[in-house]
Amino acid sequence: MGFGGISIWQLLIVLAIVILLFGTKKLRSMGGDLGSAIKSFKQSVREGEDEVNNKGDSTLEHTSSEDASVQQTEKDKQSS
């Protein structure tokens, strides 16, 4: 028994039918297109994660500068 009740022979028969229907050249080009799409998707995900991380860093810097200005304002009020 193979994947979910499908035997290896059934998979080979389906593969043979797919090859007969589409041909090896068409399958090769479809595989290349699929590989390019996956590569592009992974690159976009990485860029999105980098963008989120960079925004998080700038938000932390912005927050710390705001905290410093608030602390300075409180010191000014206390000294008055």
Side-chain angles (χ1 to χ4, degrees):
M1 205 173 257
F3 305 101
I6 299 174
S7 72
I8 194 75
W9 292 109
Q10 291 170 332
L11 289 174
L12 289 174
I13 291 170
V14 169
L15 180 64
I17 291 171
V18 168
I19 289 173
L20 288 173
L21 286 175
F22 293 107
T24 56
K25 289 182 183 181
K26 181 71 174 177
L27 289 176
R28 188 176 303 139
S29 70
M30 286 174 32
D33 292 343
L34 181 64
S36 297
I38 291 172
K39 184 177 179 181
S40 174
F41 177 75
K42 286 182 179 181
Q43 182 180 3
S44 298
V45 168
R46 265 188 248 119
E47 289 174 357
E49 288 174 348
D50 291 343
E51 187 175 311
V52 168
N53 290 338
N54 290 339
K55 282 185 179 181
D57 292 344
S58 65
T59 302
L60 290 175
E61 291 172 6
H62 185 66
T63 303
S64 63
S65 66
E66 285 179 355
D67 290 344
S69 66
V70 168
Q71 289 173 352
Q72 183 64 34
T73 305
E74 289 175 358
K75 286 180 183 178
D76 292 343
K77 286 180 182 179
Q78 290 175 354
S79 64
S80 301

